[in-house]
């Protein structure tokens, strides 16, 4: 009898505990065709089923209040969501699905998810950890303003943790460049990757044989990404904000200074600066000399007397010690270091004689590839003039780099020779040739500049935007994609072309199976190194006199 009573009490206790421990369902519903959601009272929201989630950022043209709107089925209980699990079978996370979920801390996506929509987790201020498949593609600004996100993990099919992005061929441009997201620099015997991935800044350290040593995400809140620069003693990140009301009290650019362990040391904010949109149709490139930082970029300016907001180059000179601005060239003036308008790509270096040398892609004033040397005053030369009308954004050209040798400044670019007619009525682009120019330091002029031209005899093949990679003052390499015509555009083929250069000129091009990205190749351990991602962890490429090799993680 005692045994029966004890067994009955035990069974009742287990039953009660199961019911006490089981999480209750707060709310549930559909979030796609064949996809369901369920929120439990422990804060876990589970997405299950088969197929795509709904995109919740949609364009509504039906009402008088035309615009973009979003409304999720869990909007009324957003504050209850602490963890999100997307189960196997679900193939996407819809755009804006979990925007501004203020109490969300963890996200786990199954390997069946192949796409994460734009702004899916934007503004999740307390999100700390995300795990998603390495094969998944990411939309724009997926994790923007997730300021506490420390662990951004991707997992391959075998369960290996990686960090994925997609920067393949992001160096290519037809009319204007955009800010560079991917960077490498040497830190002693190690290699450091810095990349802006969907609004989050990833920093990874690798050994000489490309083994991952450490990884971290920087907590940096910004509206517009500008760029990164690894200086001798400090690292710098440049970000910005739009200024729609053209107010001189609005912060438009922020320069953040870090030590080499990425501890934030100081910031310099620039207000107004005749800037409507910073970094518009521009890159951000930097150089330094003796504690001074030089930033060369572009911006869309305040409205001019003709009623338009024109774009032009912009230069900032900063003291790295106290972060005070020594010079700001942001206005329409030919007294600046290197005023070019429009300026669709920018490069800067400090040469061995401490001259500031800048390269700009201009479409109007002047309509040319412009090389500028500045010390106490500026001297400009138009390396190549582009056909077409002033201000026509189509120049048929792309500038790719700037370096110095013992005797010359070396530039590389592509040009189709047609300029404003580089695209026909249907937008079909024309074939471009590759040029490498050598401008003497002691005879800084267009007349003295020597230019090597590479022409591909096959009408279906062309040259992508080139890189110039210095090894030292004796020379370096030119690298570009081999591109092929697809009926409208010339697209990368999976092969690159490369040639060595020195003061005597550039050598013949060689071909290799490889890819390029917006990561500027650098010299590391005697070899040229860069990396490429394609919804994957980095693939590292190395180039030396023996050719090109690749290394997957």
């Amino acid at each position: 009898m005692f045994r029966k009573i004890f067994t009955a009490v035990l069974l009742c206790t287990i039953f009660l505990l199961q019911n006490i421990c089981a999480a209750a369902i707060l709310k549930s519903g559909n979030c796609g065709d064949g996809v369901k959601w369920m929120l439990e009272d422990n804060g876990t929201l589970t997405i299950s089923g088969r197929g795509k989630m709904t995109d919740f950022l949609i364009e509504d043209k039906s009402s008088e209040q035309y615009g973009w709107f979003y409304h999720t089925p869990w909007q009324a209980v957003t504050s209850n969501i602490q963890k999100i699990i997307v189960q196997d079978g679900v193939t996407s996370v819809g755009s804006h699905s979990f925007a501004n979920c203020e109490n969300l801390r963890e996200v786990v996506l199954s390997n069946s998810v192949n796409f994460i929509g734009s702004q899916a987790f934007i503004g999740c201020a307390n999100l700390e950890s995300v795990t998603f498949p390495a094969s998944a593609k990411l939309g724009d600004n997926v994790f923007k303003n997730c300021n506490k996100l420390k662990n951004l993990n991707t997992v391959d099919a075998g369960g290996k943790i990686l960090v994925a992005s997609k920067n393949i061929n992001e160096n290519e441009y037809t009319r204007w460049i955009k800010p560079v997201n991917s960077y490498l620099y040497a830190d002693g015997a190690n290699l450091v990757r810095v990349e802006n991935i969907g609004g989050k800044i990833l920093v990874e350290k690798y050994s000489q044989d490309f083994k991952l040593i450490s990884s971290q995400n920087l907590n940096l809140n910004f509206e517009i990404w500008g760029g990164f620069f690894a200086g001798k003693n400090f690292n710098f990140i440049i970000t910005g904000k739009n200024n729609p009301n053209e107010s001189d009290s609005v912060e438009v650019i922020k320069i953040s200074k870090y030590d080499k362990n990425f501890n934030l040391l100081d910031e310099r904010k620039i207000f107004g600066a005749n800037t409507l949109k910073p970094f518009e149709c521009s890159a951000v490139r930097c150089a330094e000399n003796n504690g001074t930082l030089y930033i060369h970029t572009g911006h869309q300016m305040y409205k001019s007397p003709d009623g338009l907001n024109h774009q032009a180059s912009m230069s900032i000179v900063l003291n790295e010690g106290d972060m005070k601005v020594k010079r700001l060239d942001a206005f329409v003036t030919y007294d600046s270091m290197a005023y070019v308008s429009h300026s669709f790509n920018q490069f800067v270096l400090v040469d061995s004689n401490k001259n500031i040398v800048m390269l700009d892609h201009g479409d109007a004033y002047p309509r040319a590839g412009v090389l500028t040397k500045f010390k106490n005053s500026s001297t400009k030369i138009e390396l190549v003039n582009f056909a077409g009308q002033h201000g026509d954004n189509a120049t048929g050209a792309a500038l790719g780099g700037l370096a110095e040798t013992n005797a010359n400044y070396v530039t590389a670019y592509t040009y189709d020779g047609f300029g404003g007619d580089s695209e026909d009525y249907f937008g079909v682009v024309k074939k471009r040739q590759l040029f490498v120019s050598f401008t003497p330091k002691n005879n800084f002029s267009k007349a003295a500049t020597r230019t090597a031209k590479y022409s591909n005899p096959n009408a279906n093949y062309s040259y992508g935007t080139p890189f110039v990679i210095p090894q030292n003052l004796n020379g370096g390499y030119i690298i570009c994609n081999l591109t092929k015509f697809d009926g409208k555009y010339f697209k990368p083929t999976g092969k690159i072309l490369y040639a060595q250069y020195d003061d005597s000129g550039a050598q013949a091009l060689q071909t290799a199976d490889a890819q390029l990205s917006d990561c500027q190749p650098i010299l590391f351990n005697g070899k040229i190194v860069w990396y490429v991602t394609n919804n994957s962890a980095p693939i590292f490429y190395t180039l030396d006199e023996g050719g090109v090799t690749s290394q997957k993680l």
Side-chain angles (χ1 to χ4, degrees):
M1 176 66 69
F2 176 79
R3 181 177 296 176
K4 290 182 179 179
I5 294 173
F6 177 80
T7 302
V9 171
L10 181 61
L11 290 173
C12 288
T13 302
I14 293 172
F15 176 79
L16 288 171
L17 285 172
Q18 285 178 333
N19 280 274
I20 291 171
C21 295
I25 298 173
L26 288 181
K27 203 168 183 180
S28 62
N30 298 320
C31 56
D33 187 8
V35 181
K36 297 181 179 181
W37 68 278
M38 177 181 69
L39 178 63
E40 299 172 283
D41 63 0
N42 63 3
T44 299
L45 187 147
T46 302
I47 308 291
S48 62
R50 306 195 73 82
K52 297 180 180 179
M53 280 182 63
T54 299
D55 286 319
F56 294 104
L57 185 63
I58 59 173
E59 188 176 16
D60 184 2
K61 297 182 179 179
S62 62
S63 66
E64 294 181 358
Q65 295 181 338
Y66 168 82
W68 292 85
F69 303 92
Y70 78 96
H71 182 82
T72 61
W74 43 80
Q75 191 146 331
V77 290
T78 294
S79 61
N80 296 86
I81 301 174
Q82 298 178 34
K83 181 177 181 178
I84 294 170
I85 298 174
V86 178
Q87 293 184 346
D88 189 50
V90 180
T91 59
S92 74
V93 177
S95 63
H96 231 276
S97 295
F98 305 105
N100 302 311
C101 285
E102 58 186 13
N103 294 316
L104 178 63
R105 285 173 170 77
E106 183 181 3
V107 174
V108 180
L109 309 183
S110 72
N111 275 343
S112 62
V113 174
N114 56 42
F115 183 72
I116 306 174
S118 297
Q119 302 182 8
F121 299 98
I122 190 172
C124 295
N126 290 297
L127 180 60
E128 296 176 351
S129 176
V130 177
T131 302
F132 64 98
S135 58
K137 297 180 180 180
L138 277 65
D140 295 330
N141 299 317
V142 170
F143 301 112
K144 186 174 181 180
N145 296 334
C146 298
N147 297 325
K148 292 185 179 180
L149 184 56
K150 299 177 181 177
N151 300 306
L152 186 61
N153 302 317
T154 61
V155 181
D156 66 11
K160 183 180 178 181
I161 296 178
L162 310 168
V163 178
S165 67
K166 185 176 182 179
N167 66 10
I168 186 170
N169 299 324
E170 286 294 306
N171 59 306
E172 301 292 347
Y173 78 100
T174 301
R175 292 193 174 190
W176 51 70
I177 198 71
K178 59 184 179 181
V180 175
N181 288 310
S182 313
Y183 299 84
L184 282 179
Y185 72 92
D187 183 20
N190 298 318
L191 192 64
V192 180
R193 169 195 180 193
V194 179
E195 186 172 347
N196 171 36
I197 305 175
K200 296 303 300 180
I201 312 305
L202 171 71
V203 179
E204 291 182 332
K205 183 177 289 188
Y206 292 86
S207 63
Q208 297 182 46
D209 56 351
F210 307 111
K211 302 298 183 184
L212 182 63
I213 298 172
S214 64
S215 178
Q216 64 173 308
N217 288 283
L218 301 184
N219 294 325
L220 188 64
N221 187 13
F222 62 91
E223 179 179 324
I224 301 172
W225 171 256
F228 168 79
F229 177 68
K232 180 181 178 181
N233 299 314
F234 307 105
N235 290 333
F236 297 90
I237 291 178
I238 299 98
T239 56
K241 293 180 181 178
N242 286 330
N243 184 11
N245 296 320
E246 301 184 1
S247 169
D248 287 341
S249 61
V250 170
E251 173 199 320
V252 293
I253 292 177
K254 181 165 68 176
I255 305 161
S256 302
K257 182 174 77 170
Y258 295 82
D259 65 16
K260 287 300 180 176
N261 293 316
F262 284 92
N263 297 302
L264 181 63
L265 300 177
D266 202 353
E267 294 178 335
R268 172 55 57 193
K269 299 177 180 180
I270 295 175
F271 295 86
N274 191 35
T275 298
L276 177 76
K277 295 180 179 180
F279 326 131
E280 184 74 356
C281 302
S282 303
V284 174
R285 294 200 168 88
C286 305
E288 69 177 357
N289 178 62
N290 196 27
T292 298
L293 177 67
Y294 299 88
I295 302 171
H296 194 42
T297 182
H299 63 149
Q300 189 172 8
M301 300 181 289
Y302 288 176
K303 191 173 292 183
S304 63
D306 64 6
L308 300 175
N309 294 95
H310 294 286
Q311 193 267 11
S313 60
M314 180 182 192
S315 300
I316 305 167
V317 182
L318 192 76
N319 186 304
E320 294 180 349
D322 59 17
M323 293 291 284
K324 289 184 178 179
V325 175
K326 300 169 68 174
R327 179 173 183 138
L328 173 63
D329 288 344
F331 297 88
V332 181
T333 171
Y334 291 95
D335 292 331
S336 67
M337 290 195 298
Y339 177 79
V340 175
S341 181
H342 307 119
S343 174
F344 288 155
N345 202 354
Q346 307 82 20
F347 297 87
V348 60
L349 64 81
V350 181
D351 73 12
S352 52
N353 294 317
K354 300 184 179 180
N355 295 294
I356 314 306
V357 184
M358 289 160 280
L359 177 66
D360 286 81
H361 179 168
D363 80 337
Y365 301 101
R367 187 174 174 82
V370 185
L371 188 63
T372 304
K373 179 191 282 190
F374 177 87
K375 204 163 196 179
N376 298 314
S377 61
S378 292
T379 303
K380 292 183 180 180
I381 60 173
E382 298 176 14
L383 285 175
V384 52
N385 296 99
F386 306 133
Q389 296 183 347
H390 287 270
D392 184 345
N393 296 161
T395 61
L399 273 59
L402 170 66
E404 70 165 325
T405 59
N406 288 305
N408 295 282
Y409 301 116
V410 182
T411 56
Y413 57 91
T414 58
Y415 180 45
D416 64 13
F418 294 93
D421 295 321
S422 61
E423 301 173 19
D424 69 12
Y425 179 79
F426 299 101
V428 177
V429 301
K430 291 182 171 63
K431 178 176 178 174
R432 297 182 177 186
Q433 313 302 328
L434 174 64
F435 300 85
V436 183
S437 291
F438 297 83
T439 302
K441 293 179 178 180
N442 61 3
N443 188 4
F444 189 76
S445 65
K446 183 175 182 178
T449 297
R450 296 175 291 116
T451 301
K453 177 182 178 181
Y454 297 90
S455 297
N456 195 311
N458 190 320
N460 290 321
Y461 288 90
S462 185
Y463 302 94
T465 304
F467 285 106
V468 180
I469 309 104
Q471 291 178 291
N472 48 48
L473 290 178
N474 294 320
Y477 282 89
I478 308 294
I479 304 178
C480 71
N481 277 315
L482 176 65
T483 62
K484 185 178 182 180
F485 191 60
D486 70 351
K488 186 172 183 178
Y489 302 107
F490 283 91
K491 294 185 176 180
T493 60
K495 293 183 181 294
I496 66 167
L497 302 167
Y498 65 94
Q500 287 185 287
Y501 71 84
D502 56 27
D503 275 325
S504 66
Q507 298 178 7
L509 289 170
Q510 300 182 65
T511 306
D513 293 324
Q515 306 278 5
L516 295 174
S517 69
D518 63 346
C519 171
Q520 167 72 38
I522 66 168
L523 180 67
F524 179 68
N525 280 348
K527 298 182 179 182
I528 304 302
V529 179
W530 70 96
Y531 79 91
V532 176
T533 62
N534 188 12
N535 297 311
S536 66
I539 299 173
F540 288 94
Y541 290 92
T542 60
L543 167 64
D544 59 16
E545 292 183 354
V548 177
T549 58
S550 62
Q551 174 71 48
K552 292 184 178 180
L553 296 186

